[in-house]
C-alpha cells in the first residue's frame, strides 16, 4: 500500500472513531445534569455510539485477520436513519439538506458493520461534492421482485462518462489533491459485490450523481437468536483491567451465576487450587504468558480445565495464539462484547462440559 494511501486510511479510521467517541464522552460528562426522557436518550446514544465504535474496530481486525463477514437479518432503512443522524450536524454545517424517501423495504442478510461503512462513504462522497456551497442529498429505497435498491443522490456537479467508468477503481478520485485517495468508493464496491449485489453511478434527476446499490432478497431469513439464558454455575473471571472485570462479574451475577474474580494469573491459580469452577473466563493478553502459553500451562496442571475455558481477546494476538484460534482449539469472545454475546458464550461453555471434580 502506498504511504499516502496508508496515511489516508489511518486518518479515516481516526475520523470514524472520533465521531462516536465524542458523543460518548460528551453525554457521559453531562449525564448527571439530565433527567427523564433526556437521560434515556443519552443512555441510548451512548450505547449506540459505543456499538458503532466497536464495529469500526471489529472491521479493522477482520481486515487484518482476513475473517469472513458476519451476516444477519439487517433493516437497511433503520441503519440509514442511524448513519444520517450521526452525520446530521456535519451536513447542516455545510448547508446540506438530507431528504429520505423510504419505501419500507424488507430486511436483507448482510453485515451491519460493513454497510454502515458503505453508507457513511456514500454520504461523505455526496457531502464533498456539494462543498462549499451546499445543496441536497436524496436517499431513497425501493424494492423489485428479487432485489432491494438504495440510492444516494446529490444535486452537485455532474460526473463525466469517463469518470463514471473508473469511479470504483482503487486510488481513483475526482477530488482535488489532498482531499482523498480514492479508497472509499472502491470499498463500497467491494462490500456490495461480496454480498452478491451490484453498485453503479448514474446522473441524478436534479444534476449531480446518484449512486445506486442493488442487493438480493433472501426468500427465507435466518431466525434471530433467542435471548441467552442465565445459569447457576460457578464462574471465575480473570482480567487485569478492573472495569472489565467488574462489568463481567455484574453481568454474570445478574444472570444467576456465582462469580469469583482474579486480577492476575497467580491469583487465579490460587483460587483454582481451593475451589472448583464450571467456567473460567480469562483475558487473552495479560502481563506474562500469552493466551496460548497460559492455556497450555493450565492444561499441564489441570487437563480437564481446558474444556472449561473461555478466552476474551481484544486485538490480533501473537502468532501462536492466532494459530490456535484459527483451528478452533480455544473458545474465545472478542472485545468489545455486549451482554447477550457474553451470556451466550458462557452458556455454551457450561453446556458442553461437565463439572470438574473438586
Amino acid at each position: 500500500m502506498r504511504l499516502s494511501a496508508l496515511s489516508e486510511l489511518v486518518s479515516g479510521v481516526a475520523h470514524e472513531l472520533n465521531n462516536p467517541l465524542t458523543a460518548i464522552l460528551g453525554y457521559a460528562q453531562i449525564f448527571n445534569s439530565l433527567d427523564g426522557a433526556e437521560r434515556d436518550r443519552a443512555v441510548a446514544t451512548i450505547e449506540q455510539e459505543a456499538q458503532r465504535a466497536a464495529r469500526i474496530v471489529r472491521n479493522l481486525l477482520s481486515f487484518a485477520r482476513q475473517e469472513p463477514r458476519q451476516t444477519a437479518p439487517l433493516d437497511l432503512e433503520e441503519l440509514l436513519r442511524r448513519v444520517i443522524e450521526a452525520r446530521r450536524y456535519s451536513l447542516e454545517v455545510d448547508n446540506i439538506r438530507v431528504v429520505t424517501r423510504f419505501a419500507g423495504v424488507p430486511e436483507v442478510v448482510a453485515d451491519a458493520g460493513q454497510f454502515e461503512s458503505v453508507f457513511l462513504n456514500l454520504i461523505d462522497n455526496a457531502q464533498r461534492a456539494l462543498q462549499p456551497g451546499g445543496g441536497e442529498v436524496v436517499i431513497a429505497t425501493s424494492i423489485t421482485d428479487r432485489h432491494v435498491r438504495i440510492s444516494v443522490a446529490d444535486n452537485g456537479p455532474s460526473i463525466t462518462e469517463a469518470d463514471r467508468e473508473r469511479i470504483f477503481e482503487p486510488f481513483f478520485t475526482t477530488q482535488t489533491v489532498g482531499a482523498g485517495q480514492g479508497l472509499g468508493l472502491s470499498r463500497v464496491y467491494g462490500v456490495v459485490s461480496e454480498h452478491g449485489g451490484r453498485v453503479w453511478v448514474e446522473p441524478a434527476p436534479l444534476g449531480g450523481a446518484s449512486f445506486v446499490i442493488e442487493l438480493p432478497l433472501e426468500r427465507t431469513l435466518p431466525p434471530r437468536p433467542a435471548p441467552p439464558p442465565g445459569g447457576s454455575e460457578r464462574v471465575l473471571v480473570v482480567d487485569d483491567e478492573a472495569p472489565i472485570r467488574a462489568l463481567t462479574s455484574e453481568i454474570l451475577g445478574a444472570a444467576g451465576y456465582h462469580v469469583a474474580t482474579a486480577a492476575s494469573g497467580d491469583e487465579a491459580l490460587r483460587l483454582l487450587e481451593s475451589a472448583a469452577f464450571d467456567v473460567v473466563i480469562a483475558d487473552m493478553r495479560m502481563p506474562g504468558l500469552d493466551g496460548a502459553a497460559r492455556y497450555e500451562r493450565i492444561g499441564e496442571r489441570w487437563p480437564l480445565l481446558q474444556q472449561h475455558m473461555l478466552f476474551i481477546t481484544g486485538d490480533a494476538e501473537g502468532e501462536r495464539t492466532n494459530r490456535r484460534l484459527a483451528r478452533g482449539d480455544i473458545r474465545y469472545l472478542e472485545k468489545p462484547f455486549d451482554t447477550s454475546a457474553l451470556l451466550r458464550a458462557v452458556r455454551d461453555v457450561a453446556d458442553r462440559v461437565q463439572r470438574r471434580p473438586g
Side-chain angles (χ1 to χ4, degrees):
M1 179 180 290
R2 298 185 312 192
L3 183 59
S4 58
L6 179 60
S7 175
E8 177 75 12
L9 176 62
V10 172
S11 297
V13 170
H15 174 75
E16 287 198 50
L17 276 175
N18 280 333
N19 283 332
L21 290 177
T22 298
I24 292 168
L25 181 61
Y27 275 111
Q29 289 175 335
I30 67 172
F31 185 78
N32 288 334
S33 67
L34 304 176
D35 55 25
E38 289 182 339
R39 179 169 286 202
D40 292 341
R41 278 197 299 272
V43 171
T45 300
I46 288 172
E47 179 181 6
Q48 174 182 309
E49 293 304 293
Q51 290 175 345
R52 179 182 168 196
R55 283 193 295 270
I56 294 169
V57 173
R58 193 173 296 119
N59 283 342
L60 284 173
L61 292 176
S62 295
F63 176 78
R65 298 171 183 165
Q66 296 298 301
E67 291 181 349
R69 62 185 182 274
Q70 298 179 353
T71 58
L74 177 62
D75 186 333
L76 291 168
E77 292 178 347
E78 177 59 29
L79 179 59
L80 280 165
R81 291 187 186 96
R82 295 204 305 267
V83 170
I84 292 168
E85 184 61 31
R87 300 293 295 145
R88 184 174 301 281
Y89 177 77
S90 175
L91 292 165
E92 289 177 350
V93 167
D94 282 342
N95 196 31
I96 296 172
R97 174 172 175 259
V98 177
V99 177
T100 58
R101 296 172 181 166
F102 293 164
V105 299
E107 293 180 333
V108 299
V109 176
D111 185 305
Q114 291 186 354
F115 269 92
E116 180 179 64
S117 176
V118 164
F119 296 150
L120 281 168
N121 273 311
L122 291 180
I123 291 174
D124 286 347
N125 185 75
Q127 182 176 4
R128 287 195 298 269
L130 293 171
Q131 291 171 335
E136 185 175 88
V137 177
V138 178
I139 302 175
T141 63
S142 60
I143 183 172
T144 65
D145 181 48
R146 297 178 179 274
H147 296 88
V148 167
R149 283 187 178 179
I150 308 100
S151 63
V152 178
D154 64 72
N155 62 348
S158 60
I159 300 178
T160 67
E161 179 66 30
D163 284 347
R164 286 203 298 270
E165 292 178 358
R166 300 188 58 198
I167 199 73
F168 297 107
E169 293 180 9
F171 306 115
F172 176 79
T173 178
T174 60
Q175 304 298 316
T176 57
V177 175
Q181 294 293 337
L183 295 173
L185 292 179
S186 65
R187 169 67 173 161
V188 169
Y189 182 87
V191 169
V192 173
S193 298
E194 288 171 4
H195 283 78
R198 62 192 188 104
V199 58
W200 66 91
V201 61
E202 60 190 24
L206 299 178
S210 177
F211 287 84
V212 184
I213 295 172
E214 189 176 74
L215 296 171
L217 275 174
E218 297 284 340
R219 293 304 182 187
T220 304
L221 292 175
R224 293 186 178 274
S232 58
E233 288 85 355
R234 288 176 54 81
V235 180
L236 174 61
V237 177
V238 188
D239 202 303
D240 60 328
E241 291 283 346
I244 296 176
R245 194 168 63 246
L247 174 64
T248 305
S249 178
E250 288 185 18
I251 293 172
L252 295 176
Y257 293 101
H258 301 281
V259 184
T261 64
S264 67
D266 290 339
E267 185 180 356
L269 291 176
R270 289 195 295 271
L271 288 171
L272 290 169
E273 291 279 7
S274 61
F277 292 92
D278 301 287
V279 180
V280 177
I281 303 174
D283 187 14
M284 181 73 80
R285 177 168 291 185
M286 291 174 61
L289 300 175
D290 70 5
R294 193 181 309 119
Y295 180 80
E296 292 165 359
R297 184 71 60 83
I298 289 174
E300 293 170 0
R301 194 160 184 177
W302 298 290
L304 294 178
L305 187 58
Q306 283 185 327
Q307 302 302 313
H308 299 241
M309 297 193 70
L310 172 67
F311 278 103
I312 297 178
T313 174
D315 58 8
E317 307 293 341
E319 181 180 352
R320 180 167 54 158
T321 300
N322 280 332
R323 287 200 302 267
R324 301 296 294 270
L325 292 176
R327 293 205 307 264
D329 296 350
I330 300 176
R331 294 190 183 95
Y332 69 98
L333 177 67
E334 289 190 347
K335 296 177 186 175
F337 51 79
D338 60 22
T339 301
S340 295
L342 174 64
L343 292 177
R344 191 169 290 111
V346 171
R347 187 70 261 157
D348 180 62
V349 173
D351 287 343
R352 289 187 183 186
V353 298
Q354 295 181 346
R355 187 179 180 88
R356 182 171 65 94

